[in-house]
Amino acid sequence: YDVTAPDDPTANPPAGDYASDQSVELSSSDATSGVAAIYYTTDGSTPDNTSTLYDSPITVDQDMTIKAVAYDNAGNPSGILEATYGIPPVISNETSPSTTTTKATITWYTDDLSTSRVIYDTVSHPILGAAPNYDYANSTVEADTSPKVTSHSVGLSGLTAGTTYYYRT
């Protein structure tokens, strides 16, 4: 009679921040009776045997937390895997449609709902430093936190006339 829980599920690739979409595979093992199924959620709820049945890789194309539980053939549940992934939105159509000698408005679109912020400086930073400003001298406040948006517009003020500014959205 098997009373031993299966191994907690594992995720491959492991949780973390990635520069592009990921295809996540879940697995578990049970030496006694074998793994019957893995169930998962992506909405923050605790998974059980009524959650989504894992039967193919999970596409992670935005920030997401996968929670998963395995059941062995005797019905014993494993512990819960919690794997959080960070996937940046794809930024497109960056423009500065409104510019004066001391102000500029930067607009752009993202493919996923996200917040709005611009970091900027009078020197270029081809290699980013550490968060939160990545070595840029200036930053706007983070806007559009609730609700998040896909159409972004951020104003910069206090600029010096005749000066070139470099920015990242």
Side-chain angles (χ1 to χ4, degrees):
Y1 179 67
D2 179 5
V3 294
T4 304
D7 293 337
D8 292 354
T10 59
N12 187 29
D17 291 330
Y18 292 89
S20 62
D21 297 353
Q22 298 296 304
S23 181
V24 177
E25 296 183 2
L26 302 178
S27 62
S28 177
S29 63
D30 182 87
T32 308
S33 64
V35 173
I38 298 174
Y39 297 91
Y40 72 95
T41 62
T42 59
D43 64 1
S45 63
T46 301
D48 61 21
N49 58 1
T50 65
S51 301
T52 303
L53 174 66
Y54 172 76
D55 59 2
S56 62
I58 302 164
T59 299
V60 177
D61 57 3
Q62 61 185 333
D63 289 356
M64 180 183 295
T65 297
I66 298 171
K67 292 184 179 182
V69 63
Y71 284 85
D72 65 16
N73 286 305
N76 299 308
S78 69
I80 305 292
L81 162 73
E82 185 168 333
T84 300
Y85 295 85
I87 307 293
V90 175
I91 297 170
S92 62
N93 298 330
E94 286 181 284
T95 62
S96 51
S98 174
T99 305
T100 68
T101 56
T102 60
K103 296 180 182 179
T105 300
I106 311 297
T107 62
W108 69 97
Y109 294 93
T110 54
D111 66 334
D112 293 321
L113 294 171
S114 55
T115 61
S116 304
R117 183 169 80 110
V118 175
I119 53 176
Y120 59 102
D121 203 342
T122 57
V123 295
S124 177
H125 296 275
I127 298 174
L128 295 179
N133 285 359
Y134 309 98
D135 289 343
Y136 281 73
N138 305 289
S139 174
T140 64
V141 297
E142 186 171 19
D144 303 316
T145 57
S146 182
K148 294 179 180 180
V149 298
T150 58
S151 177
H152 307 266
S153 180
V154 172
L156 308 180
S157 60
L159 304 177
T160 302
T163 302
T164 299
Y165 287 88
Y166 302 86
Y167 69 90
R168 290 184 188 247
T169 54

